[in-house]
Amino acid sequence: HNTYIYYLKHPANAELPPAPQSPIWHVTLRAMISGRRVERDYTPISTWSEWQDTGCLRLLIKVYPDGVMTQHLSSLGLGSTLCVSTPHTTLSVPSLLPPERLSGAITESPRHVVP
């Protein structure tokens, strides 16, 4: 319980962001909460084509009693405005490695990744 599907509608007159580079992607929600800028990453349950075709982005979010962002989200009314980032690659396919691993930024493989 306390888990909700949030339907975020892209403004009709605004251009959609560029498509993600991977089918596994996330967005960052940003808000000013009590004078502080708060950012949290969420992986949509929408596909990119759904967002592109309908302008709707669906997020499945569990609201925590002590969650700064989730409490803020639960307080928003219908029609409220929220800052949503462009899509970010979460994992690159087919390697399933995070983008920083592919660029060589990390030199040591995690133990759960088979080289």
Side-chain angles (χ1 to χ4, degrees):
H1 61 38
N2 299 334
T3 302
Y4 304 93
I5 297 176
Y6 286 84
Y7 290 82
L8 307 179
K9 184 72 174 162
H10 196 79
N13 58 348
E15 190 173 321
L16 282 172
Q21 299 299 308
S22 168
I24 305 170
W25 53 282
H26 66 277
V27 294
T28 303
L29 301 185
R30 296 181 181 97
M32 289 299 291
I33 303 171
S34 302
R36 289 183 31 234
R37 181 178 167 159
V38 177
E39 298 182 353
R40 297 291 185 272
D41 293 337
Y42 295 96
T43 302
I45 57 174
S46 303
T47 62
W48 170 251
S49 60
E50 178 183 345
W51 191 7
Q52 188 175 31
D53 295 343
T54 67
C56 186
L57 179 67
R58 295 177 299 127
L59 301 172
L60 179 66
I61 299 175
K62 179 167 177 59
V63 176
Y64 292 95
D66 58 348
V68 175
M69 180 62 85
T70 60
Q71 285 299 311
H72 175 73
L73 293 173
S74 70
S75 74
L76 295 176
L78 189 62
S80 296
T81 301
L82 188 63
C83 183
V84 179
S85 74
T86 59
H88 300 285
T89 298
T90 303
L91 292 173
S92 296
V93 177
S95 70
L96 297 180
L97 292 176
E100 60 272 10
R101 281 279 297 146
L102 294 176
S103 67
I106 297 175
T107 56
E108 184 178 316
S109 293
R111 292 179 188 198
H112 64 279
V113 174
V114 178

